[in-house]
PDB file of all heavy atoms in Angstrom:
ATOM      1  N   ALA A  63      44.023 -56.056  30.022  1.00  0.00           N
ATOM      2  CA  ALA A  63      44.622 -54.799  30.551  1.00  0.00           C
ATOM      3  C   ALA A  63      43.705 -53.607  30.245  1.00  0.00           C
ATOM      4  O   ALA A  63      43.033 -53.608  29.190  1.00  0.00           O
ATOM      5  CB  ALA A  63      45.998 -54.587  29.939  1.00  0.00           C
ATOM      6  N   ASP A  64      43.703 -52.672  31.076  1.00  0.00           N
ATOM      7  CA  ASP A  64      42.919 -51.475  30.908  1.00  0.00           C
ATOM      8  C   ASP A  64      43.794 -50.421  30.231  1.00  0.00           C
ATOM      9  O   ASP A  64      44.786 -49.975  30.798  1.00  0.00           O
ATOM     10  CB  ASP A  64      42.453 -50.964  32.284  1.00  0.00           C
ATOM     11  CG  ASP A  64      41.513 -49.752  32.161  1.00  0.00           C
ATOM     12  OD1 ASP A  64      41.263 -49.245  31.035  1.00  0.00           O
ATOM     13  OD2 ASP A  64      41.035 -49.315  33.220  1.00  0.00           O
ATOM     14  N   LEU A  65      43.400 -50.021  29.059  1.00  0.00           N
ATOM     15  CA  LEU A  65      44.180 -49.025  28.280  1.00  0.00           C
ATOM     16  C   LEU A  65      43.999 -47.622  28.799  1.00  0.00           C
ATOM     17  O   LEU A  65      44.546 -46.679  28.254  1.00  0.00           O
ATOM     18  CB  LEU A  65      43.861 -49.088  26.803  1.00  0.00           C
ATOM     19  CG  LEU A  65      44.247 -50.426  26.121  1.00  0.00           C
ATOM     20  CD1 LEU A  65      43.740 -50.459  24.705  1.00  0.00           C
ATOM     21  CD2 LEU A  65      45.746 -50.588  26.193  1.00  0.00           C
ATOM     22  N   ASN A  66      43.209 -47.443  29.866  1.00  0.00           N
ATOM     23  CA  ASN A  66      43.073 -46.153  30.502  1.00  0.00           C
ATOM     24  C   ASN A  66      44.155 -45.913  31.553  1.00  0.00           C
ATOM     25  O   ASN A  66      44.197 -44.909  32.211  1.00  0.00           O
ATOM     26  CB  ASN A  66      41.711 -46.035  31.188  1.00  0.00           C
ATOM     27  CG  ASN A  66      40.647 -45.857  30.162  1.00  0.00           C
ATOM     28  OD1 ASN A  66      40.657 -44.931  29.354  1.00  0.00           O
ATOM     29  ND2 ASN A  66      39.659 -46.752  30.205  1.00  0.00           N
ATOM     30  N   SER A  67      45.043 -46.912  31.716  1.00  0.00           N
ATOM     31  CA  SER A  67      46.169 -46.772  32.642  1.00  0.00           C
ATOM     32  C   SER A  67      47.434 -47.201  31.904  1.00  0.00           C
ATOM     33  O   SER A  67      47.486 -47.201  30.681  1.00  0.00           O
ATOM     34  CB  SER A  67      45.918 -47.553  33.917  1.00  0.00           C
ATOM     35  OG  SER A  67      45.815 -48.963  33.615  1.00  0.00           O
ATOM     36  N   PHE A  68      48.422 -47.572  32.636  1.00  0.00           N
ATOM     37  CA  PHE A  68      49.721 -47.898  32.010  1.00  0.00           C
ATOM     38  C   PHE A  68      49.659 -49.238  31.291  1.00  0.00           C
ATOM     39  O   PHE A  68      49.073 -50.201  31.808  1.00  0.00           O
ATOM     40  CB  PHE A  68      50.843 -47.848  33.042  1.00  0.00           C
ATOM     41  CG  PHE A  68      50.978 -46.499  33.669  1.00  0.00           C
ATOM     42  CD1 PHE A  68      50.439 -46.192  34.906  1.00  0.00           C
ATOM     43  CD2 PHE A  68      51.622 -45.503  32.934  1.00  0.00           C
ATOM     44  CE1 PHE A  68      50.570 -44.897  35.434  1.00  0.00           C
ATOM     45  CE2 PHE A  68      51.755 -44.209  33.504  1.00  0.00           C
ATOM     46  CZ  PHE A  68      51.171 -43.923  34.736  1.00  0.00           C
ATOM     47  N   ILE A  69      50.353 -49.352  30.172  1.00  0.00           N
ATOM     48  CA  ILE A  69      50.388 -50.591  29.414  1.00  0.00           C
ATOM     49  C   ILE A  69      51.360 -51.523  30.167  1.00  0.00           C
ATOM     50  O   ILE A  69      52.467 -51.096  30.481  1.00  0.00           O
ATOM     51  CB  ILE A  69      50.850 -50.329  27.989  1.00  0.00           C
ATOM     52  CG1 ILE A  69      49.785 -49.474  27.259  1.00  0.00           C
ATOM     53  CG2 ILE A  69      51.063 -51.641  27.224  1.00  0.00           C
ATOM     54  CD1 ILE A  69      50.155 -49.107  25.835  1.00  0.00           C
ATOM     55  N   PRO A  70      51.001 -52.738  30.397  1.00  0.00           N
ATOM     56  CA  PRO A  70      51.813 -53.653  31.225  1.00  0.00           C
ATOM     57  C   PRO A  70      53.018 -54.291  30.586  1.00  0.00           C
ATOM     58  O   PRO A  70      53.210 -55.485  30.531  1.00  0.00           O
ATOM     59  CB  PRO A  70      50.800 -54.724  31.677  1.00  0.00           C
ATOM     60  CG  PRO A  70      49.845 -54.794  30.538  1.00  0.00           C
ATOM     61  CD  PRO A  70      49.749 -53.379  30.008  1.00  0.00           C
ATOM     62  N   TYR A  71      53.878 -53.412  29.978  1.00  0.00           N
ATOM     63  CA  TYR A  71      55.118 -53.913  29.343  1.00  0.00           C
ATOM     64  C   TYR A  71      56.207 -52.924  29.684  1.00  0.00           C
ATOM     65  O   TYR A  71      55.984 -51.767  30.016  1.00  0.00           O
ATOM     66  CB  TYR A  71      54.950 -53.966  27.825  1.00  0.00           C
ATOM     67  CG  TYR A  71      53.904 -54.961  27.362  1.00  0.00           C
ATOM     68  CD1 TYR A  71      52.610 -54.535  26.982  1.00  0.00           C
ATOM     69  CD2 TYR A  71      54.166 -56.310  27.326  1.00  0.00           C
ATOM     70  CE1 TYR A  71      51.656 -55.425  26.585  1.00  0.00           C
ATOM     71  CE2 TYR A  71      53.239 -57.233  26.949  1.00  0.00           C
ATOM     72  CZ  TYR A  71      51.988 -56.825  26.579  1.00  0.00           C
ATOM     73  OH  TYR A  71      51.035 -57.716  26.172  1.00  0.00           O
ATOM     74  N   GLY A  72      57.422 -53.395  29.544  1.00  0.00           N
ATOM     75  CA  GLY A  72      58.600 -52.556  29.769  1.00  0.00           C
ATOM     76  C   GLY A  72      58.819 -51.514  28.657  1.00  0.00           C
ATOM     77  O   GLY A  72      58.067 -51.507  27.662  1.00  0.00           O
ATOM     78  N   ASP A  73      59.828 -50.734  28.820  1.00  0.00           N
ATOM     79  CA  ASP A  73      60.158 -49.682  27.799  1.00  0.00           C
ATOM     80  C   ASP A  73      60.805 -50.335  26.584  1.00  0.00           C
ATOM     81  O   ASP A  73      61.609 -51.269  26.671  1.00  0.00           O
ATOM     82  CB  ASP A  73      61.148 -48.722  28.405  1.00  0.00           C
ATOM     83  CG  ASP A  73      60.575 -47.914  29.560  1.00  0.00           C
ATOM     84  OD1 ASP A  73      59.347 -48.003  29.776  1.00  0.00           O
ATOM     85  OD2 ASP A  73      61.316 -47.217  30.252  1.00  0.00           O
ATOM     86  N   GLU A  74      60.437 -49.825  25.395  1.00  0.00           N
ATOM     87  CA  GLU A  74      61.080 -50.136  24.141  1.00  0.00           C
ATOM     88  C   GLU A  74      61.151 -51.640  23.856  1.00  0.00           C
ATOM     89  O   GLU A  74      62.230 -52.182  23.531  1.00  0.00           O
ATOM     90  CB  GLU A  74      62.449 -49.490  24.044  1.00  0.00           C
ATOM     91  CG  GLU A  74      62.342 -48.005  24.110  1.00  0.00           C
ATOM     92  CD  GLU A  74      63.691 -47.260  23.912  1.00  0.00           C
ATOM     93  OE1 GLU A  74      64.721 -47.922  23.755  1.00  0.00           O
ATOM     94  OE2 GLU A  74      63.664 -46.015  23.898  1.00  0.00           O
ATOM     95  N   VAL A  75      60.014 -52.350  23.987  1.00  0.00           N
ATOM     96  CA  VAL A  75      60.027 -53.793  23.756  1.00  0.00           C
ATOM     97  C   VAL A  75      59.354 -54.229  22.461  1.00  0.00           C
ATOM     98  O   VAL A  75      59.477 -55.372  22.058  1.00  0.00           O
ATOM     99  CB  VAL A  75      59.365 -54.562  24.939  1.00  0.00           C
ATOM    100  CG1 VAL A  75      60.180 -54.386  26.222  1.00  0.00           C
ATOM    101  CG2 VAL A  75      57.932 -54.074  25.151  1.00  0.00           C
ATOM    102  N   PHE A  76      58.685 -53.294  21.748  1.00  0.00           N
ATOM    103  CA  PHE A  76      57.983 -53.691  20.529  1.00  0.00           C
ATOM    104  C   PHE A  76      58.476 -52.911  19.322  1.00  0.00           C
ATOM    105  O   PHE A  76      58.862 -51.755  19.459  1.00  0.00           O
ATOM    106  CB  PHE A  76      56.444 -53.437  20.677  1.00  0.00           C
ATOM    107  CG  PHE A  76      55.782 -54.321  21.698  1.00  0.00           C
ATOM    108  CD1 PHE A  76      55.443 -53.816  22.924  1.00  0.00           C
ATOM    109  CD2 PHE A  76      55.575 -55.646  21.430  1.00  0.00           C
ATOM    110  CE1 PHE A  76      54.848 -54.618  23.869  1.00  0.00           C
ATOM    111  CE2 PHE A  76      54.976 -56.474  22.378  1.00  0.00           C
ATOM    112  CZ  PHE A  76      54.607 -55.945  23.598  1.00  0.00           C
ATOM    113  N   GLN A  77      58.430 -53.542  18.164  1.00  0.00           N
ATOM    114  CA  GLN A  77      58.854 -52.887  16.918  1.00  0.00           C
ATOM    115  C   GLN A  77      57.676 -52.175  16.257  1.00  0.00           C
ATOM    116  O   GLN A  77      57.830 -51.353  15.372  1.00  0.00           O
ATOM    117  CB  GLN A  77      59.379 -53.941  15.943  1.00  0.00           C
ATOM    118  CG  GLN A  77      60.658 -54.536  16.414  1.00  0.00           C
ATOM    119  CD  GLN A  77      61.173 -55.658  15.521  1.00  0.00           C
ATOM    120  OE1 GLN A  77      60.419 -56.229  14.747  1.00  0.00           O
ATOM    121  NE2 GLN A  77      62.436 -55.973  15.594  1.00  0.00           N
ATOM    122  N   GLY A  78      56.442 -52.521  16.656  1.00  0.00           N
ATOM    123  CA  GLY A  78      55.277 -51.874  16.071  1.00  0.00           C
ATOM    124  C   GLY A  78      54.091 -52.026  16.976  1.00  0.00           C
ATOM    125  O   GLY A  78      54.027 -52.875  17.843  1.00  0.00           O
ATOM    126  N   ALA A  79      53.102 -51.120  16.779  1.00  0.00           N
ATOM    127  CA  ALA A  79      51.895 -51.175  17.516  1.00  0.00           C
ATOM    128  C   ALA A  79      50.710 -50.800  16.626  1.00  0.00           C
ATOM    129  O   ALA A  79      50.853 -49.851  15.789  1.00  0.00           O
ATOM    130  CB  ALA A  79      51.918 -50.214  18.716  1.00  0.00           C
ATOM    131  N   ALA A  80      49.603 -51.510  16.763  1.00  0.00           N
ATOM    132  CA  ALA A  80      48.394 -51.195  16.008  1.00  0.00           C
ATOM    133  C   ALA A  80      47.314 -50.817  17.024  1.00  0.00           C
ATOM    134  O   ALA A  80      47.085 -51.579  17.981  1.00  0.00           O
ATOM    135  CB  ALA A  80      47.963 -52.373  15.173  1.00  0.00           C
ATOM    136  N   CYS A  81      46.744 -49.710  16.811  1.00  0.00           N
ATOM    137  CA  CYS A  81      45.664 -49.194  17.696  1.00  0.00           C
ATOM    138  C   CYS A  81      44.479 -48.922  16.809  1.00  0.00           C
ATOM    139  O   CYS A  81      44.378 -47.865  16.173  1.00  0.00           O
ATOM    140  CB  CYS A  81      46.165 -47.908  18.404  1.00  0.00           C
ATOM    141  SG  CYS A  81      45.042 -47.266  19.601  1.00  0.00           S
ATOM    142  N   ILE A  82      43.559 -49.895  16.758  1.00  0.00           N
ATOM    143  CA  ILE A  82      42.462 -49.850  15.787  1.00  0.00           C
ATOM    144  C   ILE A  82      41.168 -49.567  16.532  1.00  0.00           C
ATOM    145  O   ILE A  82      40.672 -50.389  17.329  1.00  0.00           O
ATOM    146  CB  ILE A  82      42.355 -51.168  15.016  1.00  0.00           C
ATOM    147  CG1 ILE A  82      43.741 -51.612  14.460  1.00  0.00           C
ATOM    148  CG2 ILE A  82      41.288 -51.074  13.907  1.00  0.00           C
ATOM    149  CD1 ILE A  82      44.368 -50.664  13.489  1.00  0.00           C
ATOM    150  N   ASN A  83      40.587 -48.451  16.269  1.00  0.00           N
ATOM    151  CA  ASN A  83      39.280 -48.004  16.821  1.00  0.00           C
ATOM    152  C   ASN A  83      39.260 -48.145  18.356  1.00  0.00           C
ATOM    153  O   ASN A  83      38.316 -48.711  18.938  1.00  0.00           O
ATOM    154  CB  ASN A  83      38.143 -48.736  16.167  1.00  0.00           C
ATOM    155  CG  ASN A  83      37.907 -48.275  14.754  1.00  0.00           C
ATOM    156  OD1 ASN A  83      38.099 -47.122  14.448  1.00  0.00           O
ATOM    157  ND2 ASN A  83      37.527 -49.184  13.872  1.00  0.00           N
ATOM    158  N   VAL A  84      40.307 -47.657  18.980  1.00  0.00           N
ATOM    159  CA  VAL A  84      40.407 -47.674  20.453  1.00  0.00           C
ATOM    160  C   VAL A  84      40.564 -46.234  20.970  1.00  0.00           C
ATOM    161  O   VAL A  84      39.977 -45.924  21.985  1.00  0.00           O
ATOM    162  CB  VAL A  84      41.618 -48.501  20.879  1.00  0.00           C
ATOM    163  CG1 VAL A  84      41.856 -48.429  22.376  1.00  0.00           C
ATOM    164  CG2 VAL A  84      41.446 -49.987  20.448  1.00  0.00           C
ATOM    165  N   LEU A  85      41.328 -45.425  20.309  1.00  0.00           N
ATOM    166  CA  LEU A  85      41.715 -44.127  20.821  1.00  0.00           C
ATOM    167  C   LEU A  85      40.520 -43.297  21.237  1.00  0.00           C
ATOM    168  O   LEU A  85      40.521 -42.598  22.253  1.00  0.00           O
ATOM    169  CB  LEU A  85      42.570 -43.384  19.806  1.00  0.00           C
ATOM    170  CG  LEU A  85      43.264 -42.138  20.297  1.00  0.00           C
ATOM    171  CD1 LEU A  85      44.351 -42.516  21.268  1.00  0.00           C
ATOM    172  CD2 LEU A  85      43.838 -41.378  19.132  1.00  0.00           C
ATOM    173  N   TYR A  86      39.429 -43.336  20.458  1.00  0.00           N
ATOM    174  CA  TYR A  86      38.275 -42.496  20.745  1.00  0.00           C
ATOM    175  C   TYR A  86      37.574 -42.908  22.031  1.00  0.00           C
ATOM    176  O   TYR A  86      36.797 -42.152  22.610  1.00  0.00           O
ATOM    177  CB  TYR A  86      37.281 -42.494  19.580  1.00  0.00           C
ATOM    178  CG  TYR A  86      36.486 -43.794  19.455  1.00  0.00           C
ATOM    179  CD1 TYR A  86      35.212 -43.827  20.037  1.00  0.00           C
ATOM    180  CD2 TYR A  86      36.931 -44.871  18.769  1.00  0.00           C
ATOM    181  CE1 TYR A  86      34.442 -45.017  19.934  1.00  0.00           C
ATOM    182  CE2 TYR A  86      36.204 -46.032  18.675  1.00  0.00           C
ATOM    183  CZ  TYR A  86      34.958 -46.101  19.270  1.00  0.00           C
ATOM    184  OH  TYR A  86      34.197 -47.209  19.176  1.00  0.00           O
ATOM    185  N   ALA A  87      37.784 -44.178  22.464  1.00  0.00           N
ATOM    186  CA  ALA A  87      37.002 -44.726  23.596  1.00  0.00           C
ATOM    187  C   ALA A  87      37.734 -44.658  24.918  1.00  0.00           C
ATOM    188  O   ALA A  87      37.114 -44.950  25.966  1.00  0.00           O
ATOM    189  CB  ALA A  87      36.628 -46.179  23.280  1.00  0.00           C
ATOM    190  N   VAL A  88      39.024 -44.320  24.948  1.00  0.00           N
ATOM    191  CA  VAL A  88      39.723 -44.270  26.230  1.00  0.00           C
ATOM    192  C   VAL A  88      39.495 -42.885  26.865  1.00  0.00           C
ATOM    193  O   VAL A  88      39.165 -41.934  26.186  1.00  0.00           O
ATOM    194  CB  VAL A  88      41.236 -44.562  26.074  1.00  0.00           C
ATOM    195  CG1 VAL A  88      41.451 -45.977  25.600  1.00  0.00           C
ATOM    196  CG2 VAL A  88      41.891 -43.561  25.120  1.00  0.00           C
ATOM    197  N   LYS A  89      39.684 -42.825  28.165  1.00  0.00           N
ATOM    198  CA  LYS A  89      39.458 -41.567  28.886  1.00  0.00           C
ATOM    199  C   LYS A  89      40.496 -40.500  28.531  1.00  0.00           C
ATOM    200  O   LYS A  89      40.136 -39.332  28.404  1.00  0.00           O
ATOM    201  CB  LYS A  89      39.516 -41.833  30.416  1.00  0.00           C
ATOM    202  CG  LYS A  89      38.403 -42.677  30.939  1.00  0.00           C
ATOM    203  CD  LYS A  89      38.584 -42.978  32.404  1.00  0.00           C
ATOM    204  CE  LYS A  89      37.516 -43.942  32.828  1.00  0.00           C
ATOM    205  NZ  LYS A  89      37.786 -44.522  34.182  1.00  0.00           N
ATOM    206  N   ARG A  90      41.732 -40.944  28.331  1.00  0.00           N
ATOM    207  CA  ARG A  90      42.793 -39.979  28.000  1.00  0.00           C
ATOM    208  C   ARG A  90      43.608 -40.501  26.786  1.00  0.00           C
ATOM    209  O   ARG A  90      44.558 -41.254  26.955  1.00  0.00           O
ATOM    210  CB  ARG A  90      43.741 -39.801  29.203  1.00  0.00           C
ATOM    211  CG  ARG A  90      43.091 -39.031  30.337  1.00  0.00           C
ATOM    212  CD  ARG A  90      44.058 -38.540  31.329  1.00  0.00           C
ATOM    213  NE  ARG A  90      45.240 -37.946  30.779  1.00  0.00           N
ATOM    214  CZ  ARG A  90      46.412 -37.937  31.385  1.00  0.00           C
ATOM    215  NH1 ARG A  90      46.604 -38.486  32.568  1.00  0.00           N
ATOM    216  NH2 ARG A  90      47.456 -37.365  30.798  1.00  0.00           N
ATOM    217  N   PRO A  91      43.216 -40.092  25.609  1.00  0.00           N
ATOM    218  CA  PRO A  91      43.979 -40.516  24.427  1.00  0.00           C
ATOM    219  C   PRO A  91      45.445 -40.185  24.522  1.00  0.00           C
ATOM    220  O   PRO A  91      46.291 -40.931  24.025  1.00  0.00           O
ATOM    221  CB  PRO A  91      43.294 -39.743  23.308  1.00  0.00           C
ATOM    222  CG  PRO A  91      41.938 -39.415  23.782  1.00  0.00           C
ATOM    223  CD  PRO A  91      42.082 -39.238  25.255  1.00  0.00           C
ATOM    224  N   ASP A  92      45.785 -39.067  25.139  1.00  0.00           N
ATOM    225  CA  ASP A  92      47.208 -38.682  25.260  1.00  0.00           C
ATOM    226  C   ASP A  92      47.986 -39.695  26.083  1.00  0.00           C
ATOM    227  O   ASP A  92      49.126 -40.060  25.751  1.00  0.00           O
ATOM    228  CB  ASP A  92      47.368 -37.281  25.817  1.00  0.00           C
ATOM    229  CG  ASP A  92      46.814 -37.154  27.264  1.00  0.00           C
ATOM    230  OD1 ASP A  92      45.764 -37.719  27.546  1.00  0.00           O
ATOM    231  OD2 ASP A  92      47.460 -36.451  28.073  1.00  0.00           O
ATOM    232  N   LEU A  93      47.375 -40.211  27.164  1.00  0.00           N
ATOM    233  CA  LEU A  93      48.070 -41.187  28.002  1.00  0.00           C
ATOM    234  C   LEU A  93      48.300 -42.509  27.179  1.00  0.00           C
ATOM    235  O   LEU A  93      49.390 -43.073  27.273  1.00  0.00           O
ATOM    236  CB  LEU A  93      47.269 -41.505  29.247  1.00  0.00           C
ATOM    237  CG  LEU A  93      47.830 -42.610  30.172  1.00  0.00           C
ATOM    238  CD1 LEU A  93      49.187 -42.222  30.713  1.00  0.00           C
ATOM    239  CD2 LEU A  93      46.853 -42.913  31.289  1.00  0.00           C
ATOM    240  N   LEU A  94      47.322 -42.936  26.465  1.00  0.00           N
ATOM    241  CA  LEU A  94      47.468 -44.140  25.675  1.00  0.00           C
ATOM    242  C   LEU A  94      48.583 -43.962  24.605  1.00  0.00           C
ATOM    243  O   LEU A  94      49.464 -44.847  24.497  1.00  0.00           O
ATOM    244  CB  LEU A  94      46.149 -44.550  24.973  1.00  0.00           C
ATOM    245  CG  LEU A  94      46.264 -45.747  24.052  1.00  0.00           C
ATOM    246  CD1 LEU A  94      46.788 -46.988  24.808  1.00  0.00           C
ATOM    247  CD2 LEU A  94      44.900 -46.045  23.403  1.00  0.00           C
ATOM    248  N   LEU A  95      48.604 -42.862  23.916  1.00  0.00           N
ATOM    249  CA  LEU A  95      49.621 -42.662  22.904  1.00  0.00           C
ATOM    250  C   LEU A  95      51.027 -42.518  23.537  1.00  0.00           C
ATOM    251  O   LEU A  95      52.008 -43.029  23.008  1.00  0.00           O
ATOM    252  CB  LEU A  95      49.300 -41.464  22.061  1.00  0.00           C
ATOM    253  CG  LEU A  95      48.187 -41.641  21.050  1.00  0.00           C
ATOM    254  CD1 LEU A  95      47.895 -40.343  20.286  1.00  0.00           C
ATOM    255  CD2 LEU A  95      48.475 -42.766  20.092  1.00  0.00           C
ATOM    256  N   LYS A  96      51.124 -41.889  24.682  1.00  0.00           N
ATOM    257  CA  LYS A  96      52.429 -41.809  25.380  1.00  0.00           C
ATOM    258  C   LYS A  96      52.877 -43.213  25.828  1.00  0.00           C
ATOM    259  O   LYS A  96      54.070 -43.501  25.769  1.00  0.00           O
ATOM    260  CB  LYS A  96      52.306 -40.836  26.585  1.00  0.00           C
ATOM    261  CG  LYS A  96      52.235 -39.427  26.155  1.00  0.00           C
ATOM    262  CD  LYS A  96      52.033 -38.489  27.316  1.00  0.00           C
ATOM    263  CE  LYS A  96      51.837 -37.057  26.886  1.00  0.00           C
ATOM    264  NZ  LYS A  96      51.485 -36.154  27.984  1.00  0.00           N
ATOM    265  N   GLU A  97      51.944 -44.031  26.246  1.00  0.00           N
ATOM    266  CA  GLU A  97      52.293 -45.385  26.646  1.00  0.00           C
ATOM    267  C   GLU A  97      52.736 -46.254  25.455  1.00  0.00           C
ATOM    268  O   GLU A  97      53.691 -47.008  25.527  1.00  0.00           O
ATOM    269  CB  GLU A  97      51.125 -46.072  27.385  1.00  0.00           C
ATOM    270  CG  GLU A  97      51.008 -45.689  28.822  1.00  0.00           C
ATOM    271  CD  GLU A  97      52.253 -46.181  29.604  1.00  0.00           C
ATOM    272  OE1 GLU A  97      52.343 -47.397  29.800  1.00  0.00           O
ATOM    273  OE2 GLU A  97      53.086 -45.331  29.963  1.00  0.00           O
ATOM    274  N   ILE A  98      52.053 -46.075  24.338  1.00  0.00           N
ATOM    275  CA  ILE A  98      52.466 -46.780  23.153  1.00  0.00           C
ATOM    276  C   ILE A  98      53.870 -46.304  22.719  1.00  0.00           C
ATOM    277  O   ILE A  98      54.747 -47.109  22.402  1.00  0.00           O
ATOM    278  CB  ILE A  98      51.443 -46.557  21.964  1.00  0.00           C
ATOM    279  CG1 ILE A  98      50.135 -47.266  22.321  1.00  0.00           C
ATOM    280  CG2 ILE A  98      51.997 -47.088  20.640  1.00  0.00           C
ATOM    281  CD1 ILE A  98      48.982 -46.994  21.357  1.00  0.00           C
ATOM    282  N   HIS A  99      54.083 -45.033  22.798  1.00  0.00           N
ATOM    283  CA  HIS A  99      55.402 -44.451  22.477  1.00  0.00           C
ATOM    284  C   HIS A  99      56.460 -45.077  23.398  1.00  0.00           C
ATOM    285  O   HIS A  99      57.569 -45.441  22.975  1.00  0.00           O
ATOM    286  CB  HIS A  99      55.366 -42.918  22.655  1.00  0.00           C
ATOM    287  CG  HIS A  99      56.636 -42.248  22.232  1.00  0.00           C
ATOM    288  ND1 HIS A  99      57.672 -42.046  23.087  1.00  0.00           N
ATOM    289  CD2 HIS A  99      56.982 -41.682  21.058  1.00  0.00           C
ATOM    290  CE1 HIS A  99      58.623 -41.408  22.471  1.00  0.00           C
ATOM    291  NE2 HIS A  99      58.263 -41.179  21.229  1.00  0.00           N
ATOM    292  N   ARG A 100      56.152 -45.197  24.683  1.00  0.00           N
ATOM    293  CA  ARG A 100      57.111 -45.752  25.651  1.00  0.00           C
ATOM    294  C   ARG A 100      57.483 -47.182  25.330  1.00  0.00           C
ATOM    295  O   ARG A 100      58.647 -47.580  25.426  1.00  0.00           O
ATOM    296  CB  ARG A 100      56.493 -45.685  27.067  1.00  0.00           C
ATOM    297  CG  ARG A 100      57.406 -46.248  28.155  1.00  0.00           C
ATOM    298  CD  ARG A 100      56.707 -46.245  29.502  1.00  0.00           C
ATOM    299  NE  ARG A 100      55.551 -47.099  29.580  1.00  0.00           N
ATOM    300  CZ  ARG A 100      55.593 -48.422  29.740  1.00  0.00           C
ATOM    301  NH1 ARG A 100      56.726 -49.070  29.828  1.00  0.00           N
ATOM    302  NH2 ARG A 100      54.468 -49.116  29.809  1.00  0.00           N
ATOM    303  N   VAL A 101      56.530 -48.009  24.971  1.00  0.00           N
ATOM    304  CA  VAL A 101      56.789 -49.456  24.740  1.00  0.00           C
ATOM    305  C   VAL A 101      57.409 -49.740  23.366  1.00  0.00           C
ATOM    306  O   VAL A 101      57.884 -50.830  23.090  1.00  0.00           O
ATOM    307  CB  VAL A 101      55.558 -50.327  24.993  1.00  0.00           C
ATOM    308  CG1 VAL A 101      55.053 -50.161  26.383  1.00  0.00           C
ATOM    309  CG2 VAL A 101      54.443 -50.068  23.962  1.00  0.00           C
ATOM    310  N   LEU A 102      57.382 -48.735  22.439  1.00  0.00           N
ATOM    311  CA  LEU A 102      57.994 -48.930  21.103  1.00  0.00           C
ATOM    312  C   LEU A 102      59.456 -48.677  21.169  1.00  0.00           C
ATOM    313  O   LEU A 102      59.933 -47.740  21.795  1.00  0.00           O
ATOM    314  CB  LEU A 102      57.332 -48.000  20.078  1.00  0.00           C
ATOM    315  CG  LEU A 102      55.984 -48.390  19.562  1.00  0.00           C
ATOM    316  CD1 LEU A 102      55.453 -47.329  18.626  1.00  0.00           C
ATOM    317  CD2 LEU A 102      55.987 -49.736  18.869  1.00  0.00           C
ATOM    318  N   GLU A 103      60.220 -49.486  20.388  1.00  0.00           N
ATOM    319  CA  GLU A 103      61.639 -49.250  20.177  1.00  0.00           C
ATOM    320  C   GLU A 103      61.813 -47.983  19.333  1.00  0.00           C
ATOM    321  O   GLU A 103      60.887 -47.548  18.643  1.00  0.00           O
ATOM    322  CB  GLU A 103      62.245 -50.440  19.363  1.00  0.00           C
ATOM    323  CG  GLU A 103      62.202 -51.748  20.063  1.00  0.00           C
ATOM    324  CD  GLU A 103      62.703 -52.891  19.190  1.00  0.00           C
ATOM    325  OE1 GLU A 103      62.936 -52.676  17.967  1.00  0.00           O
ATOM    326  OE2 GLU A 103      62.853 -53.990  19.683  1.00  0.00           O
ATOM    327  N   ILE A 104      63.019 -47.394  19.328  1.00  0.00           N
ATOM    328  CA  ILE A 104      63.307 -46.318  18.457  1.00  0.00           C
ATOM    329  C   ILE A 104      63.141 -46.795  17.029  1.00  0.00           C
ATOM    330  O   ILE A 104      63.591 -47.865  16.699  1.00  0.00           O
ATOM    331  CB  ILE A 104      64.772 -45.840  18.636  1.00  0.00           C
ATOM    332  CG1 ILE A 104      65.016 -45.369  20.070  1.00  0.00           C
ATOM    333  CG2 ILE A 104      65.140 -44.730  17.652  1.00  0.00           C
ATOM    334  CD1 ILE A 104      64.216 -44.186  20.519  1.00  0.00           C
ATOM    335  N   GLY A 105      62.383 -46.070  16.230  1.00  0.00           N
ATOM    336  CA  GLY A 105      62.099 -46.468  14.881  1.00  0.00           C
ATOM    337  C   GLY A 105      60.870 -47.360  14.782  1.00  0.00           C
ATOM    338  O   GLY A 105      60.472 -47.764  13.691  1.00  0.00           O
TER     339      GLY A 105
END
């Protein structure tokens, strides 16, 4: 999957996410973080 676009998962499906040495290399770090936020459950 290309992390420069939408993450291919539904909303609130994961309990945790690890983003290791990726944020600096994507075109829009804000889009990636918003997508991670979207796929994470509350908490």
Side-chain angles (χ1 to χ4, degrees):
D64 184 357
L65 294 174
N66 288 303
S67 61
F68 298 100
I69 296 176
Y71 297 101
D73 295 349
E74 299 185 357
V75 294
F76 294 106
Q77 294 175 340
C81 184
I82 312 297
N83 289 325
V84 173
L85 193 68
Y86 76 94
V88 295
K89 292 175 186 168
R90 289 195 45 208
D92 62 320
L93 176 62
L94 176 57
L95 287 177
K96 287 175 185 174
E97 278 296 287
I98 292 172
H99 185 273
R100 179 184 65 79
V101 300
L102 282 178
E103 297 175 351
I104 301 297

